[in-house]
Amino acid sequence: SQNINQINLIPNPSNGHFKITLSDNNTQIIALNILDTSGKLITSLKNDNVENIDASKLSNGIYLVEVFTDTGKLFSKLSIQK
């Protein structure tokens, strides 16, 4: 059976500062996009910025986090509550 890589955003709901962890520690995060619920790109981050993310400029609401790894693409929902 294939191991599905799980993405965790901590904390979630978040005040805008959050961390991404992947269940597969060997997977490298290359970049990530934060999209609004209509799919519009809000912000884009590359390599060194992906460990601890500062999205404090975002308004309250639900966002989609698109994570690009060396093995593929993962999605997760992020809730911003300040």
Side-chain angles (χ1 to χ4, degrees):
S1 67
Q2 191 182 1
N3 214 354
I4 303 290
N5 203 353
Q6 295 292 321
I7 174 175
N8 272 312
L9 307 178
I10 304 164
N12 190 9
S14 163
N15 63 3
H17 292 269
F18 63 95
K19 232 169 85 163
I20 294 183
T21 61
L22 298 173
S23 57
D24 179 354
N25 293 330
N26 299 320
T27 305
Q28 210 59 45
I29 298 175
I30 298 163
L32 72 85
N33 292 333
I34 299 177
L35 314 165
D36 68 14
T37 47
S38 70
K40 185 169 151 258
L41 181 65
I42 305 295
T43 188
S44 191
L45 300 168
K46 298 262 186 289
N47 351 59
D48 40 340
N49 297 326
V50 296
E51 288 303 309
N52 290 293
I53 293 146
D54 177 2
S56 53
K57 292 186 178 75
L58 296 180
S59 314
N60 285 355
I62 303 290
Y63 296 88
L64 195 60
V65 179
E66 184 180 28
V67 178
F68 299 90
T69 72
D70 51 359
T71 58
K73 195 157 73 164
L74 298 162
F75 286 96
S76 186
K77 276 196 173 141
L78 171 68
S79 175
I80 299 283
Q81 292 176 10
K82 299 177 192 174

